[in-house]
Amino acid sequence: MTDPVRILVLGSTGYLGGHIAERLRALPGVRLLTGGRSPDDDVRVDLAHVAPSTLADLLEWAAPDAVVNCVGVVGGSALTLVEANSRGPATLCEALHSAAPAARLVHLGSAAEYGPTILGESTPEDAPAGPVSLYGATKLTGTLAVTGSGLDAVVLRVTNPVGPGAPTAGLPGRLTAELRTALHHDPHGTIHVGNLSAHRDFIDVRDVATATALALTAPGPLPPLLNIGSGHAVPVRDLAHGLIRASGFRGRIEETRGAVGRSATVPWQCARISLAARELGWRPEHTLHGSLAALWAADGTLAREPR
C-alpha cells in the first residue's frame, strides 16, 4: 500500500487557502496538513514572525512532500506587508532547505507585481516587473525569494481572484457586502464606488485552486513562474454591474469621477496564460458571470485575508 502524499497548506483559513485546501482534500492519496495560527491547524506557526530554525523543526515533524504557501496580506502598515509578503516566503525557503529540501513548493504571487502593462496586450511571465504599490513590491520580493531559492518551486502569479467567499479587502467582496446591506435597509438607494473604468483580469478562485493542485502533482521541474488568470481583460464596471444583476438590487450605483489610485497608474491588466496551459494542462473553467453568481449565492460569510 502506497503511503499518502503529505501536502502542507500554509494560510488555509484565508480566501485562496481555504479553496485550495478544499480542492486538495478531494485528491486521492493525499494527506492534507494545515499550517497557521488557528488552534485547529496541524502546524501552529505565524509565518510572518517565526524564526527559520523554529520553522525547520516544525517542517521536519510534518515531513511534507509538498508545501503550498497562501500566506499574505493586501493591506496594513509597511512592516505588516513586508513581514507577511516578503519575510515569510524567505523564511519558508530557508527552513525548507534545512528540513525538507526535496519538497515541492507552490507559492501564490500576485499580478500586482507587474505594475503598468501595455494597453490591449496580455502580459507574459518574462515581462519586466514594476509594481506601483507597496503591496506589489512586497509580493515581488517574496516571489524573488522563492524563484531564487534553488528549491523545486513555482510561483503562481494570480490576477484578481473572484468567487464564493471573497473578502471585503477587495472590490468583489466589499461590493457584495454593501449590496447585502442596501437590500436590507434601502433596496432602491444609491451605492457609491470608486472609478470603475480600469480593465482587470478576473479569475475564479476555484480555478486558482485547480491550478495549484496541478502544479503540485505535475511531473518534473516546472518554470519558476506561471501566470494564473482568465486571459481576458474586462472593465471593472462589468464586475460591479454583474453583481448588481445577481443581487436583484434596484437602486443606483454612483462612480467617482476620474481615475484614482491604482486604476490611474494601472489602467489595464491581462495575463498571458499559455505557459500554464502548456506546463500544467490548465485552463480556467468558470466565466465571470458564473463566478459572480456563485459569490452572491454563497452564505454571505466573507473570508478574512490570510496571515
Side-chain angles (χ1 to χ4, degrees), residues 9-23:
V9 178
L10 297 169
S12 63
T13 59
Y15 178 40
L16 293 177
H19 282 276
I20 288 169
E22 181 181 2
R23 178 71 177 83

Side-chain angles (χ1 to χ4, degrees), residues 113-114 125-126 143 147 154-157 223-227 275:
E113 299 167 33
Y114 283 124
E125 286 84 353
D126 59 359
T143 286
T147 58
V154 58
V155 175
L156 303 184
R157 190 168 270 172
L225 185 63
L226 293 172
N227 284 335
L275 187 59

Side-chain angles (χ1 to χ4, degrees), residues 96-225:
L96 281 171
H97 265 296
S98 174
R104 171 164 292 181
L105 171 61
V106 177
H107 173 75
L108 298 189
S110 170
E113 299 167 33
Y114 283 124
T117 56
I118 300 174
L119 188 66
E121 295 188 8
S122 60
T123 305
E125 286 84 353
D126 59 359
V132 298
S133 66
L134 184 56
Y135 165 71
T138 57
K139 288 295 291 183
L140 176 59
T141 304
T143 286
L144 293 174
V146 173
T147 58
S149 67
L151 295 165
D152 177 12
V154 58
V155 175
L156 303 184
R157 190 168 270 172
V158 180
T159 58
N160 291 61
V162 63
T168 55
L171 177 64
R174 183 169 65 252
L175 184 55
T176 297
E178 290 176 358
L179 284 167
R180 293 190 192 280
T181 300
L183 285 170
H184 181 72
H185 294 288
D186 188 8
H188 297 280
T190 300
I191 291 179
H192 297 274
V193 296
N195 183 280
L196 303 176
S197 63
H199 285 67
R200 291 289 181 265
D201 184 332
F202 293 102
I203 181 67
D204 193 286
V205 63
R206 295 163 293 182
D207 286 324
V208 177
T210 298
T212 303
L214 290 170
L216 285 167
T217 57
L222 290 169
L225 185 63

Side-chain angles (χ1 to χ4, degrees), residues 6-298:
R6 298 171 66 85
I7 300 177
L8 171 63
V9 178
L10 297 169
S12 63
T13 59
Y15 178 40
L16 293 177
H19 282 276
I20 288 169
E22 181 181 2
R23 178 71 177 83
L24 295 178
R25 283 192 185 98
L27 294 179
V30 166
R31 166 75 165 93
L32 186 72
L33 304 169
T34 62
R37 299 182 298 181
S38 168
D40 297 326
D41 282 317
D42 299 292
V43 178
R44 293 288 303 279
V45 61
D46 180 355
L47 189 60
H49 301 102
V50 67
S53 59
T54 301
L55 181 57
D57 290 341
L58 293 169
L59 290 173
E60 189 171 355
W61 172 84
D65 298 297
V67 178
V68 185
N69 183 28
C70 307
V71 177
V73 295
V74 299
S77 68
L79 181 59
T80 297
L81 287 162
V82 169
E83 287 175 335
N85 299 338
S86 301
R87 183 189 183 278
T91 299
L92 176 59
C93 290
E94 184 170 331
L96 281 171
H97 265 296
S98 174
R104 171 164 292 181
L105 171 61
V106 177
H107 173 75
L108 298 189
S110 170
E113 299 167 33
Y114 283 124
T117 56
I118 300 174
L119 188 66
E121 295 188 8
S122 60
T123 305
E125 286 84 353
D126 59 359
V132 298
S133 66
L134 184 56
Y135 165 71
T138 57
K139 288 295 291 183
L140 176 59
T141 304
T143 286
L144 293 174
V146 173
T147 58
S149 67
L151 295 165
D152 177 12
V154 58
V155 175
L156 303 184
R157 190 168 270 172
V158 180
T159 58
N160 291 61
V162 63
T168 55
L171 177 64
R174 183 169 65 252
L175 184 55
T176 297
E178 290 176 358
L179 284 167
R180 293 190 192 280
T181 300
L183 285 170
H184 181 72
H185 294 288
D186 188 8
H188 297 280
T190 300
I191 291 179
H192 297 274
V193 296
N195 183 280
L196 303 176
S197 63
H199 285 67
R200 291 289 181 265
D201 184 332
F202 293 102
I203 181 67
D204 193 286
V205 63
R206 295 163 293 182
D207 286 324
V208 177
T210 298
T212 303
L214 290 170
L216 285 167
T217 57
L222 290 169
L225 185 63
L226 293 172
N227 284 335
I228 302 298
S230 71
H232 302 283
V234 300
V236 178
R237 191 175 293 112
D238 287 3
L239 177 137
H241 287 284
L243 265 177
I244 289 172
R245 287 191 296 271
S247 70
F249 179 65
R250 301 301 180 188
R252 295 176 56 247
I253 185 167
E254 188 170 302
E255 292 183 45
T256 299
R257 291 189 177 183
V260 295
R262 188 165 178 261
S263 64
T265 54
V266 186
W268 175 270
Q269 178 198 75
C270 181
R272 188 175 302 172
I273 59 174
S274 54
L275 187 59
R278 183 169 73 244
E279 295 291 335
L280 304 180
W282 173 85
R283 285 283 184 183
E285 296 179 355
H286 298 86
T287 64
L288 180 58
H289 173 78
S291 301
L292 296 176
L295 170 56
W296 185 257

